[in-house]
């Protein structure tokens, strides 16, 4: 089977960093035999040099005809969108290029690339996001779009949008994870030296993403809980790891991560469940114990909420034949049943 073809549309004024994100993330995704899972190609409205927002241009070999062949089209940010940004209107040349995209092609935008998808009508009636600094203007220009300025990315099936820069990495990793499972996505993240997963619903704009030097971090508590995800975890236990009051810890945790401690822990448990479902034949009750969800019913509830499919369907779709990878830790002799929502 031919690799899934990703075509990146390079527009004048593009940000070189964001242009490289799809190539870096999708280009590192391999199957168990080491074969590439994606083919990544770049096109422009006309072949040749494309001006960037830096002091250099990039030479693009392909013109818009490449869009005819895409399985996924990615539109990175540009600072020179002209009437697209000013009036919400496509130029004739850009409209002709986008008209080449086949029905059913997956559409992805990074940062202000969402303006292009919105101006083409692809986002009408759909959830979408963009960089928080542009969100209010974006909503005024495109009132038919359901703009969410507070998230890293949105996934509406065949149309996905992200906030700025690093959120584009998160979105591309999310797509790899959706297409090929957590094991492949985590391998890409390790090779790229980025966090393997930040949920799309995580806050986009955090007032203090890096703690002030005089303020203690909550990193030790996060490391502590990752070693015991299968156990019940109380908020007071987490706060104790940092010698903070529960109130201070909760506020500091949200400032640093953008989510509550409870939301973060559930997300980590779902990620561990994904790995076990992909790599092992463990029965659902044991997967639930290993991940701290306690019961198969609780596991099913949280996996369904996070991934949109049941654990059984996820395993059937993504687990490698025969199972491989990590060995689960032995279950506690007490076989604890955990309420995953006990930490908030």
């Amino acid at each position: 089977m031919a690799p899934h073809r990703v075509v990146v549309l390079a527009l004048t004024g593009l940000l070189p960093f964001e242009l490289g994100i799809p190539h870096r993330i999708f280009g590192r995704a391999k199957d168990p035999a080491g074969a590439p899972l994606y083919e990544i190609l770049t096109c422009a409205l006309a072949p040749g040099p494309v001006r960037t927002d830096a002091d250099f241009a990039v030479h693009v070999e392909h013109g818009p005809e490449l869009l005819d062949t895409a399985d996924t089209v990615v539109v990175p940010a540009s600072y020179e969108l002209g009437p697209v940004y000013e009036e919400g209107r496509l130029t004739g040349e850009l409209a002709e290029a986008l008209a080449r995209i086949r029905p059913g092609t997956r559409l992805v935008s990074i940062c202000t690339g969402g303006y292009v998808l919105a101006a083409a009508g692809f986002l009408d009636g759909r959830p979408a996001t963009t960089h928080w600094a542009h969100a209010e203007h974006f909503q005024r220009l495109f009132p038919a779009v359901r703009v969410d300025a507070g998230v890293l990315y949105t996934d509406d099936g065949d149309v996905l949008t992200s906030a700025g820069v690093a959120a584009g990495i998160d979105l591309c990793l999310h797509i790899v994870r959706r297409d090929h499972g957590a094991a492949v996505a985590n391998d890409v993240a390790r090779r790229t030296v980025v966090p393997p997963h930040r949920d799309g619903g995580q806050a986009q704009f955090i007032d203090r993403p890096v703690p002030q030097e005089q303020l203690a971090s909550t990193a030790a508590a996060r490391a502590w809980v990752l070693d015991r995800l299968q156990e019940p975890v109380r908020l007071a236990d987490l706060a104790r790891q940092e010698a903070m009051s529960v109130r201070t810890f909760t506020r500091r945790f949200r400032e640093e991560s953008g989510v509550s401690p409870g939301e973060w822990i559930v997300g980590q448990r779902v990620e561990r469940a994904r790995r076990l479902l992909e790599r092992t034949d463990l029965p659902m009750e044991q997967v639930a114990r290993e991940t701290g969800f306690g019961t198969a019913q609780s596991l099913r509830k949280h996996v369904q909420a996070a991934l949109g499919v049941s654990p059984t369907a996820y395993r059937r779709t993504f687990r490698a034949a025969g199972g491989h990878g990590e060995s689960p830790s032995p279950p506690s002799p007490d076989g604890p049943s955990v309420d995953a929502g006990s930490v908030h």
Side-chain angles (χ1 to χ4, degrees):
M1 181 182 297
H4 182 102
R5 175 170 283 190
V6 177
V7 175
V8 185
L9 178 59
L11 298 173
T12 300
L14 63 87
L15 282 65
F17 182 92
E18 297 191 9
L19 178 67
I21 288 173
H23 293 269
R24 180 71 181 183
I25 300 301
F26 294 121
R28 294 297 184 274
K30 312 285 185 183
D31 69 14
L37 292 167
Y38 300 92
E39 177 188 25
I40 309 94
L41 299 169
T42 303
C43 74
L45 296 183
V50 176
R51 189 171 64 253
T52 73
D53 76 328
D55 63 341
F56 58 86
V58 296
H59 184 85
V60 179
E61 295 185 3
H62 303 286
E65 66 280 355
L66 204 61
L67 294 170
D68 300 14
T69 69
D71 299 307
T72 293
V73 172
V74 181
V75 184
S78 166
Y79 283 158
E80 297 183 28
L81 292 175
V84 174
Y85 186 84
E86 295 161 6
E87 306 168 31
R89 176 178 59 83
L90 297 175
T91 64
E93 187 179 27
L94 183 53
E96 288 178 11
L98 296 177
R100 291 176 169 271
I101 299 173
R102 295 172 299 173
T105 300
R106 183 165 56 190
L107 303 174
V108 178
S109 67
I110 300 176
C111 194
T112 57
Y115 278 78
V116 175
L117 298 187
F122 293 127
L123 300 183
D124 286 355
R126 292 180 178 263
T129 194
T130 188
H131 191 288
W132 61 268
H134 298 275
E136 186 177 344
H137 175 261
F138 188 91
Q139 184 67 89
R140 287 201 310 270
L141 202 60
F142 305 109
V145 180
R146 290 158 33 208
V147 178
D148 188 343
V151 299
L152 294 176
Y153 56 83
T154 63
D155 178 346
D156 196 40
D158 59 343
V159 177
L160 303 94
T161 63
S162 81
V165 194
I169 298 174
D170 296 317
L171 177 56
C172 289
L173 280 171
H174 167 76
I175 292 170
V176 173
R177 185 178 297 105
R178 197 180 85 170
D179 289 350
H180 301 288
V184 173
N186 290 349
D187 181 65
V188 172
R190 282 193 298 271
R191 293 176 183 275
T192 314
V193 196
V194 295
H197 181 232
R198 290 199 299 168
D199 185 75
Q202 182 170 324
Q204 179 183 147
F205 180 65
I206 304 170
D207 289 323
R208 190 159 57 241
V210 178
Q212 296 175 14
E213 187 173 348
Q214 68 269 29
L215 296 178
S217 168
T218 60
R222 290 196 292 274
W224 178 84
V225 79
L226 286 175
D227 288 336
R228 43 185 57 78
L229 279 177
Q230 72 274 19
E231 302 174 7
V233 177
R234 297 177 183 277
L235 190 51
D237 296 331
L238 290 170
R240 192 175 301 114
Q241 305 308 308
E242 306 290 358
M244 296 179 187
S245 69
V246 168
R247 182 176 180 181
T248 299
F249 175 83
T250 302
R251 183 182 71 251
R252 197 72 48 76
F253 192 101
R254 187 178 284 278
E255 288 172 349
E256 293 178 18
S257 70
V259 295
S260 72
E263 291 169 324
W264 185 85
I265 290 172
V266 168
Q268 297 303 314
R269 285 174 167 161
V270 168
E271 283 302 296
R272 177 149 175 77
R274 294 174 84 144
R275 294 195 295 272
L276 293 178
L277 291 169
E278 289 176 24
R279 302 181 179 190
T280 76
D281 289 310
L282 291 175
M284 292 302 170
E285 288 289 350
Q286 189 169 350
V287 172
R289 290 195 297 269
E290 291 291 331
T291 55
F293 288 124
T295 67
Q297 181 180 6
S298 179
L299 171 71
R300 189 178 308 111
K301 169 188 171 184
H302 287 93
V303 168
Q304 183 79 42
L307 309 181
V309 295
S310 70
T312 300
Y314 185 86
R315 168 174 277 170
R316 187 167 53 242
T317 301
F318 289 116
R319 184 177 59 84
H324 62 281
E326 66 189 73
S327 299
S329 58
S332 162
D334 298 327
S337 176
V338 181
D339 177 1
S342 60
V343 178
H344 299 283

